[in-house]
Amino acid sequence: MQNALASAGYPKRVLVACSGGPDSLALAAITAYFGRRGHVDGHPVSVAGVVVDHQLQPGSADVASRTAAVLRDLGLSPVEVRTVDVAATGFGPEAAARDARHAALEAAADDFDCEAILLGHTLDDQAEQVLLGLARGSGTRSLAGMRPARGRLLRPFLGLRRAETLEICDVEELSPWHDPSNADPAFARSRTRVDVMPVLEEKLGPGVAESLARTAAILQQDADFLEDLANETYLSLVHRDGGDAWLPEDAVRELPAALRFRVIAKAAADVGGQQPGYGRLQAAEALLRRQGSAGPVELPGHVSVYRLSLSDLEQERSASAVASGPDATGDSPGAGPREAARCGKLVFRHQKPSQQ
């Protein structure tokens, strides 16, 4: 905990997110220790708490109320229960619950003037995250798992095993609540936890969880480097025309594949889309190998990407020059210098969803 708060610049006020389970309850107990002392390494600190009630299980309000009472007994102040409605999304119930929870946590942190939000994820959670990413064929970013720090979110326990948080609760004489969904085979994460990880430990020997977590730590460095490089490359290539974004195809085609796919994904996000899956990215990238104008390829978030060939662009410029007079350049406002369109281009356009 000291290391996490030190790396975050010693926030003066922190918010503990607690479900009442052993991981987050142990987190609350350890953070409360520093709150009672009033400082971390001589830097002042105070601790607030929040319990998010997702309303997904019978009796969830009672669990949330009891957990809030435990947090107050530990000395956290203020402590609130935030009730959320989990809206259905296209990404599954777990993702929807996570989005609702994070929104509630961010709002509580704003209300309490907290500079950091502490989450109780453990090394076991990280290992399960990596394993699920492998099973789904995810990319580097997903396999990099959860970050120890991201924005205001801090995860001080990513180096601890789940058994150690149970031991903390035992030593602190706390009775954690055990979420029944953690053993529900309807959820892939639960099946990974209950069925898959024990088999891997049995067949491959102990240390599998640590190895998976170590893989995540290594890939985080690689993912950060590629992300920064892709962002710089995208900003150097992108041109904007109204609400559209376009990329010169020759420059994109010459990029290494790892950058090419990331730059295409950034263009889609830039016009309001969502992160495309690998299959959709492949379909968009394949436009670079088409003859003549091609597309559109539909990407998540109502984004269409299509290729305009050089011959079509020349025809557009000629038609624009005729319509505007002999001195017209034919370039769209904000599209960049004329020389930038001396090749075909990939155009990304956000389409409003139909009312139906």
Side-chain angles (χ1 to χ4, degrees):
M1 181 66 72
Q2 280 180 290
N3 291 340
L5 296 178
S7 66
Y10 294 105
K12 294 181 180 179
R13 189 160 182 78
V14 300
L15 177 69
V16 175
C18 186
S19 67
D23 300 341
S24 61
L25 203 57
L27 179 76
I30 298 300
T31 315
Y33 165 78
F34 290 101
R36 290 192 297 270
R37 290 179 61 188
H39 70 91
V40 179
D41 297 332
H43 299 268
V45 66
S46 60
V47 185
V50 65
V51 184
V52 178
D53 178 10
H54 300 83
Q55 306 184 90
L56 295 177
Q57 298 171 349
S60 64
D62 290 338
V63 173
S65 178
R66 289 196 301 269
T67 301
V70 172
L71 298 185
R72 294 187 186 101
D73 289 342
L74 287 171
L76 277 63
S77 178
V79 175
E80 278 192 5
V81 174
R82 297 273 173 128
T83 302
V84 298
D85 294 313
V86 179
T89 68
F91 298 97
E94 290 177 285
R98 182 179 62 249
D99 290 344
R101 178 170 61 254
H102 281 195
L105 294 177
E106 291 286 350
D110 289 338
D111 292 344
F112 298 158
D113 294 322
C114 293
E115 303 164 68
I117 303 169
L118 307 187
L119 304 177
H121 296 112
T122 65
L123 185 148
D124 294 84
D125 295 311
Q126 185 77 298
E128 292 159 9
Q129 182 89 352
V130 175
L131 198 57
L132 284 169
L134 285 169
R136 292 166 178 162
S138 302
T140 308
R141 174 59 64 195
S142 179
L143 296 181
M146 296 174 286
R147 296 177 173 277
R150 184 169 186 173
R152 281 194 289 190
L153 299 179
L154 299 181
R155 296 181 173 92
F157 281 5
L158 279 184
L160 288 184
R161 297 299 304 265
R162 189 170 291 131
E164 292 176 293
T165 66
L166 286 166
E167 185 178 354
I168 292 171
C169 289
D170 186 49
V171 169
E172 295 292 326
E173 299 182 349
L174 299 172
S175 299
W177 170 69
H178 294 278
D179 186 349
S181 69
N182 287 334
D184 188 344
F187 299 106
R189 182 175 293 277
S190 299
R191 295 194 300 273
T192 302
R193 175 177 301 181
V194 176
D195 299 327
V196 179
M197 286 299 297
V199 171
L200 290 178
E201 293 277 353
E202 177 188 350
K203 300 298 182 181
L204 300 180
V208 171
E210 287 85 353
S211 296
L212 289 169
R214 186 165 57 250
T215 297
I218 295 170
L219 287 176
Q220 281 174 12
Q221 300 174 30
D222 295 346
D224 287 344
F225 173 75
L226 286 170
E227 181 71 14
D228 291 343
L229 189 56
N231 193 54
E232 292 175 6
T233 303
Y234 175 68
L235 293 176
S236 71
L237 294 179
V238 67
H239 298 265
R240 294 180 175 86
D241 186 0
D244 298 346
W246 64 266
L247 302 168
E249 66 171 3
D250 282 357
V252 177
R253 191 183 292 115
E254 292 171 0
L255 294 173
L259 281 182
R260 190 162 60 244
F261 283 100
R262 283 174 168 82
V263 165
I264 291 172
K266 286 186 175 297
D270 197 7
V271 298
Q274 300 167 355
Q275 175 64 37
Y278 186 61
R280 288 288 81 199
L281 279 177
Q282 282 184 308
E285 191 263 353
L287 293 172
L288 296 169
R289 296 184 291 279
R290 299 286 294 275
Q291 297 296 319
S293 296
V297 170
E298 303 300 329
L299 300 180
H302 308 290
V303 170
S304 297
V305 53
Y306 56 94
R307 175 182 185 262
L308 281 180
S309 67
L310 179 58
S311 61
D312 286 340
L313 289 170
E314 293 293 351
Q315 290 177 13
E316 284 185 2
R317 279 196 290 270
S318 297
S320 178
V322 170
S324 304
D327 294 332
T329 63
D331 287 323
S332 300
R338 181 177 181 134
E339 290 76 8
R342 289 299 183 187
C343 63
K345 60 185 182 182
L346 285 181
V347 181
F348 297 77
R349 176 170 297 165
H350 190 272
Q351 308 283 358
K352 291 184 179 180
S354 67
Q355 292 300 315
Q356 182 179 3

